[in-house]
Amino acid sequence: LERELAAVPGVRALASSSSLPLERGLNNWVEFGGSAEGASVEVRAVSDGYPALLGLPVLAGAGFDGGGTAAAPRSVLVNAGFAAAHLGGAAATVGRSIELDGHSWRVAGVLADMREASLRAPPLPTVFVPRAQMDAEIQSAVNRWFTTALLVDAPGVALDAAVRAALARIDPGVALVRTATLGEQRSTALAVERFFAWLLVALALAALVLTAIGLYGVLAQLIALRRHELAVRLALGADASGNALLLARQGLRWIGLGMAAGVPLAWASRQLYQALLDGHGLVADAPYA
């Protein structure tokens, strides 16, 4: 399928993965250096072009040895979080061996971290295994658990039609489940947060409307109680505009006191929320924040 789509005009890069970005994928047990020590980590079965397509820089080492082909020595890439948590950092990780699925794999390189599983959590320790070197039985099991994801860098190309045509040529029995841009994938991952954000906006607008109605009612009641006073002022020579200015000035005094207290509190709450988002890396990494 990648070879078919590579011939489509406008397609700049392609890659495949066992799970989509921003979705939890395969989790597996990995042992380090032939010892019994190990950990459960995220595992992505990917094609060679996956790191470059998503813009993941190589911090140490290189890409897959031998281009990730079945005949090449078994090699994997790991992210910086994996290297720091289990192998002593990026510089000490390249060339080390790990045990995965009953095979020994050489760590060929260390990739920068990416929030691949979720935007709500820090990057998880992850191992990237070349698809071509996975055992057929394990690949079959992964295919049953996860829908294979094809990532295409092709701005302005009608990918739906191109992918369906390529699938029809390769195997008409294979279905295209769905297509989405990376921006749409990010929006889907943030659906819960967006719902609560809009809910808070709706509640804030309701509170604002109720406050305005309440303020209007209080001021109207105060004016009603002072109707006799206002009539006396008019009888003594005051004009209607003077009475209106008097009432407006007194009402604005209360509004000014409310703003004097509310604006600093609003600014302080903004700083608090920004500090909370910064603690999770959301302000710097995500424009929606």
Side-chain angles (χ1 to χ4, degrees):
L1 182 58
E2 289 185 42
R3 287 194 297 270
E4 289 275 344
L5 291 177
V8 175
V11 172
R12 300 190 301 199
L14 298 107
S16 61
S17 173
S18 55
S19 56
L20 284 169
L22 304 181
E23 290 184 3
R24 291 298 296 267
L26 179 66
N27 189 278
N28 210 343
W29 183 260
V30 173
E31 295 179 354
F32 315 123
S35 67
E37 180 185 358
S40 183
V41 301
E42 294 295 301
V43 176
R44 297 284 186 273
V46 301
S47 62
D48 294 358
Y50 184 82
L53 188 145
L54 289 179
L56 291 176
V58 179
L59 303 181
F64 294 118
D65 288 349
T69 60
R74 293 182 183 271
S75 62
V76 296
L77 302 177
V78 301
N79 67 349
F82 181 97
H86 303 301
L87 295 178
T93 296
V94 178
R96 297 280 296 274
S97 293
I98 63 174
E99 301 292 327
L100 173 65
D101 293 329
H103 297 288
S104 180
W105 304 76
R106 176 181 174 274
V107 178
V110 179
L111 301 176
D113 284 335
M114 181 177 74
R115 294 176 184 271
E116 187 159 6
S118 171
L119 288 172
R120 304 179 185 92
L124 302 174
T126 305
V127 176
F128 300 93
V129 180
R131 274 190 178 278
Q133 294 184 346
M134 291 191 70
D135 287 339
E137 296 81 4
I138 296 174
Q139 182 66 67
S140 178
V142 172
N143 289 343
R144 287 196 300 269
W145 297 331
F146 303 99
T147 301
T148 299
L150 181 67
L151 291 84
V152 186
D153 180 8
V157 177
L159 278 180
D160 259 24
V163 173
R164 292 183 193 279
L167 282 174
R169 290 192 297 269
I170 298 169
D171 186 349
V174 177
L176 176 64
V177 177
R178 66 184 175 97
T179 59
T181 65
L182 194 57
E184 291 169 347
Q185 185 73 3
R186 184 181 66 184
S187 296
T188 300
L190 292 170
V192 174
E193 287 79 2
R194 291 182 186 278
F195 169 77
F196 283 113
W198 282 113
L199 180 61
L200 287 174
V201 169
L203 292 175
L205 289 175
L208 182 62
V209 171
L210 291 175
T211 301
I213 293 173
L215 183 60
Y216 171 81
V218 170
L219 292 177
Q221 179 66 14
L222 291 176
I223 292 172
L225 293 175
R226 297 179 65 180
R227 289 181 66 182
H228 182 70
E229 174 195 345
L230 297 176
V232 171
R233 287 176 177 274
L234 288 173
L236 294 178
D239 55 13
S241 61
N243 279 345
L245 183 61
L246 172 67
L247 296 173
R249 185 167 57 246
Q250 293 176 346
L252 288 173
R253 184 182 300 123
W254 289 106
I255 294 175
L257 290 174
M259 291 184 64
V263 170
L265 287 174
W267 183 86
S269 65
R270 178 184 178 277
Q271 299 302 308
L272 172 63
Y273 291 136
Q274 184 171 1
L276 292 174
L277 291 174
D278 275 333
H280 290 83
L282 292 178
V283 171
D285 295 343
Y288 53 81

